[in-house]
Amino acid sequence: MKNELIKKFENKELTEGGVNEIFSSLEQIDKSQYPLLDQMIQAASGGVATP
């Protein structure tokens, strides 16, 4: 499952539902939080995050 999620992220196919597979039910995100998490992942993986 982990490799599948990494491939989806690399192909820019990771959706809100895919992200929610990673986190417990108490840590689930909603549509308003997804863009912020996306930018954080980009910055953490060495990419340039755009505000």
Side-chain angles (χ1 to χ4, degrees):
M1 182 168 119
K2 184 178 178 181
N3 289 334
E4 189 177 313
L5 291 172
I6 291 171
K7 286 179 185 179
K8 285 183 179 181
F9 174 74
E10 290 173 345
N11 294 332
K12 300 189 185 303
E13 298 171 350
L14 192 59
T15 63
E16 180 182 332
V19 171
N20 282 337
E21 292 177 28
I22 300 169
F23 297 101
S24 72
S25 59
L26 295 175
E27 298 171 320
Q28 301 279 313
I29 64 169
D30 64 19
K31 290 181 182 185
S32 66
Q33 297 167 317
Y34 183 75
L36 180 59
L37 181 62
D38 182 47
Q39 295 301 318
M40 183 205 61
I41 292 171
Q42 285 183 32
S45 63
V48 178
T50 54

